[in-house]
Amino acid sequence: ETEEFLAAFQARIDAEEKIEPTDPMPQGYRRTLIRQIGQHAHSEIVGMLPEGNWITRAPSLKRILALLAKVQDEGGHGLYLYSAAETLGVTREQMTEELHAGKAKYSSIFNYPALSWADMGAIGWLVDGAAIMNQVALCRCSYGPYARAMIRVCAEESFHQRQGYEIMLTLCNGTKEQKEMAQDALNRFWWPALMMFGPHDGDSAHSEQSMKWKIKRFSNDALREKFINATVPQAEFLGLTVPDPDLEWNEEKGGYEHGDINWDEFWRVVKGDGVMNRERVQMRKDAWDNGAWVREAALAHAQKRAAKIAA
Ligand code: ACO
């Protein structure tokens, strides 16, 4: 790739032009997008598991319907994102194989177990809340298909965030035991939710280049701080305590200071050694194997139809 080519590409980015699938682009730009969109798609798909497990145990018909719709949305987001990645020259089969082989990353958050009904509240509120904070920025990503996919995804995520917060609100207005369940869920999900934004800016391998290419519009730390500032008042409204004794409002910067994140835990989970990593990947493999007959039947049906049309 010549200096000239790279400079011309950067000029398009700087002029806020959207890059489309058939446009020339540096190999690194393509690779970064395949990596990020692929990981993002896997996160949506693996993200169906902790909540899918609670659909049959939700406490009322209304709760079952809302949770079912949410989990189906996540599946839809995954498919959207696989399609966006495919515009860059990778296939869904390749991405799926990498996930099943334990080679592809997906968000660390989904390697934590969902132990109680209150976790459905905490996941919707915090995990989808963190996801939106990150994805609203991605609506302005320089790569057209990714940016456009994010618009619908964000609209749906905001429903997910509200359904989660409403579960928390109901529990917090309920019995003492219900409020304790809500607090316990917040205690377990707060720090993993903060880790979703990735390593501190200084330790983030890809941030600088991704910001230059306007794939990322805000740094990991900037989005994490925005999330904390938006979420702490929501916890206060619920009457819950954020499990960070060092959390403190800083008047000067107009935001919160927070305690240290356990990065050893973060990297352990990212590298495959969290509580649920093995089980999550195994569940995806099982779903793939158990669905083989559906794929075969759909293919046979399509071939029959094509033969009929040709005859
Ligand atoms: N979980 C797992 N891996 C992570 C996480 C995390 N929370 N945060 C960072 N990493 C990985 C990166 O993927 C990268 O790994 P790689 O080099 O093997 O690909 C490595 O840690 C270094 O991190 P960064 O240099 O900061 O990586 P990047 O610039 O890609 O930033 C981020 C990470 C913010 C997650 C970015 O990829 C992103 O915005 N992705 C799209 C959003 C997304 O995937 N959301 C998923 C959760 S939300 C949901 O699905 C409901």
Side-chain angles (χ1 to χ4, degrees), residues 42-301:
H42 295 323
S43 303
E44 301 280 357
I45 296 296
V46 177
M48 296 168 79
L49 297 173
E51 290 171 300
N53 200 25
W54 275 92
I55 292 171
T56 54
R57 292 182 282 168
S60 70
L61 182 61
K62 196 185 93 182
R63 295 293 186 201
I64 289 175
L65 289 175
L67 192 61
L68 187 62
K70 177 189 191 268
V71 173
Q72 282 177 337
D73 284 352
E74 309 288 359
H77 298 172
L79 300 186
Y80 244 50
L81 286 161
Y82 284 130
S83 299
E86 281 187 315
T87 65
L88 292 154
V90 67
T91 67
R92 193 169 145 195
E93 286 70 23
Q94 274 170 284
M95 290 183 276
T96 305
E97 268 168 34
E98 282 186 15
L99 177 69
H100 294 179
K103 286 190 211 146
K105 288 198 170 77
Y106 56 86
S107 184
S108 50
I109 191 76
F110 301 117
N111 294 308
Y112 291 83
L115 302 175
S116 79
W117 171 250
D119 289 11
M120 296 304 99
I123 290 174
W125 171 36
L126 302 173
V127 175
D128 290 83
I132 300 174
M133 199 52 93
N134 167 280
Q135 287 166 351
V136 164
L138 290 173
C139 292
R140 292 195 302 119
C141 166
S142 58
Y143 188 58
Y146 193 24
R148 289 189 289 273
M150 280 302 118
I151 293 171
R152 173 167 173 177
V153 168
C154 283
E156 293 181 349
E157 297 284 16
S158 76
F159 152 67
H160 300 168
Q161 195 269 355
R162 274 178 267 173
Q163 73 90 37
Y165 193 70
E166 206 262 334
I167 292 173
M168 294 302 270
L169 201 55
T170 305
L171 291 172
C172 290
N173 287 328
T175 63
K176 185 169 156 282
E177 285 77 12
Q178 285 173 318
K179 190 158 184 188
E180 279 167 9
M181 273 169 70
Q183 180 65 56
D184 173 60
L186 171 59
N187 292 349
R188 284 180 291 106
F189 278 95
W190 176 256
W191 291 104
L194 297 191
M195 293 175 195
M196 285 174 70
F197 294 93
H200 280 315
D201 295 349
D203 300 319
S204 163
H206 306 291
S207 277
E208 197 182 335
Q209 184 60 64
S210 289
M211 300 265 293
K212 205 168 155 213
W213 276 331
K214 300 191 197 268
I215 292 171
K216 285 167 96 162
R217 293 280 176 164
F218 295 95
S219 75
N220 297 359
D221 286 325
L223 287 174
R224 186 170 14 245
E225 287 185 15
K226 263 164 109 81
F227 172 76
I228 294 172
N229 294 342
T231 310
V232 171
Q234 295 169 358
E236 283 168 359
F237 185 79
L238 293 171
L240 297 179
T241 308
V242 172
D244 178 357
D246 298 321
L247 193 73
E248 204 179 341
W249 178 256
N250 180 333
E251 191 62 47
E252 219 166 286
K253 77 168 185 183
Y256 284 92
E257 303 288 354
H258 63 84
D260 291 339
I261 293 173
N262 184 341
W263 295 112
D264 288 342
E265 174 182 321
F266 170 76
W267 288 115
R268 209 170 56 240
V269 175
V270 169
K271 288 181 180 149
D273 200 20
V275 181
M276 299 299 283
N277 292 62
R278 289 162 203 84
E279 191 175 324
R280 298 290 189 232
V281 173
Q282 191 57 47
M283 292 253 321
R284 286 312 312 156
K285 282 205 286 212
D286 291 347
W288 182 257
D289 292 343
N290 294 336
W293 70 272
V294 179
R295 292 190 299 277
E296 281 158 22
L299 205 63
H301 179 68

